[in-house]
């Protein structure tokens, strides 16, 4: 009889655990359904479902042109889902990434590293370009800026993100 009670208690505990899990899934579903379609569309623009490098190049070029700079080159490196790739940010002082940049993005988020070389850049133009990246609807994080005043050139290391699942 004690083994029957013990088995019943184990089954009851397992049942309650699975019921709690089911309730959490239902709550998550309700939360997702409460998000408006407009908000879902905004999220899709900020962190797109796939990393399309042609769109990123177009956006970077558009930002440069709107600010009277010339995009001389773009180098893009995409990593897979978070946890699969560990991109170190270039920093001579330490190996920690700047605040706000994921060294290892969360699961389901891909990291895209963009290295943009610009010419015809003076200080006010560089400030406007940085402001444009920071105010862009798509998430862009500027990790490093190299500015050559004599040659009017700038090199920007930028990170962007995409959903991988």
């Amino acid at each position: 009889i004690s083994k029957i009670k013990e088995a019943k208690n184990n089954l009851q505990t397992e049942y309650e655990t699975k019921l709690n899990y089911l309730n959490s899934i239902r709550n998550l579903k309700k939360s997702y359904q409460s998000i408006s379609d407009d908000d879902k569309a905004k999220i899709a623009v900020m962190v797109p479902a796939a990393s399309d490098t042609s769109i990123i190049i177009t956006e970077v070029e558009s930002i440069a042109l709107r600010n009277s700079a010339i995009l001389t080159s773009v180098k893009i490196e995409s990593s897979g889902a978070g946890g699969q790739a560990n991109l170190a940010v270039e920093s001579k002082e330490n190996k920690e990434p700047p605040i706000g940049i994921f060294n290892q993005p969360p699961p389901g988020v891909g990291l895209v590293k963009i290295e943009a070389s610009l010419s015809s850049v003076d200080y006010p133009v560089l400030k406007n370009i940085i402001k444009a990246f920071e105010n862009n609807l798509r998430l862009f994080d500027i990790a490093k800026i190299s500015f050559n005043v004599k040659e009017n050139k700038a090199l920007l290391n930028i990170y962007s993100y995409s959903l991988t699942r």
Side-chain angles (χ1 to χ4, degrees):
I1 292 197
S2 68
K3 288 188 177 190
I4 294 173
K5 280 187 177 182
E6 185 178 329
K8 182 180 176 184
N9 287 338
N10 288 342
L11 288 174
Q12 183 66 29
T13 303
E14 185 178 340
Y15 170 77
E16 289 172 3
T17 303
K18 290 187 180 196
L19 185 63
N20 287 337
Y21 181 68
L22 178 62
N23 287 334
S24 68
I25 290 173
R26 286 179 179 156
N27 289 337
L28 184 61
K29 182 179 176 184
K30 285 179 189 175
S31 296
Y32 180 76
Q33 289 173 338
S34 70
I35 299 171
S36 71
D37 288 338
D38 289 340
D39 288 342
K40 288 177 189 173
K42 287 178 188 175
I43 292 169
V45 171
M46 288 173 28
V47 184
S51 174
D52 186 357
T53 56
S54 63
I55 292 173
I56 292 173
I57 292 170
T58 304
E59 285 187 60
V60 172
E61 186 175 31
S62 173
I63 290 171
L65 289 175
R66 279 182 287 166
N67 290 288
S68 304
I70 299 170
L71 181 65
T72 54
S73 70
V74 176
K75 180 180 173 185
I76 296 178
E77 296 175 27
S78 294
S79 72
Q84 292 179 351
N86 187 357
L87 295 180
V89 177
E90 301 81 17
S91 175
K92 292 186 171 93
E93 295 84 35
N94 57 28
K95 295 297 178 191
E96 291 294 316
I99 293 175
I101 299 187
F102 293 111
N103 193 28
Q104 274 189 306
V109 176
L111 185 65
V112 180
K113 179 183 176 186
I114 307 152
E115 190 174 285
S117 179
L118 304 166
S119 61
S120 298
V121 178
D122 59 10
Y123 184 70
V125 168
L126 181 61
K127 279 179 36 178
N128 287 337
I129 289 171
I130 293 168
K131 188 176 183 181
F133 275 112
E134 294 296 327
N135 291 331
N136 195 315
L137 190 54
R138 181 182 180 122
L139 288 179
F140 284 114
D141 291 326
I142 298 175
K144 182 179 176 184
I145 302 169
S146 298
F147 180 47
N148 185 331
V149 178
K150 291 180 183 177
E151 296 180 15
N152 288 334
K153 292 183 178 180
L155 180 68
L156 303 176
N157 286 354
I158 307 160
Y159 289 87
S160 186
Y161 309 94
S162 61
L163 298 176
T164 58
R165 53 180 158 132

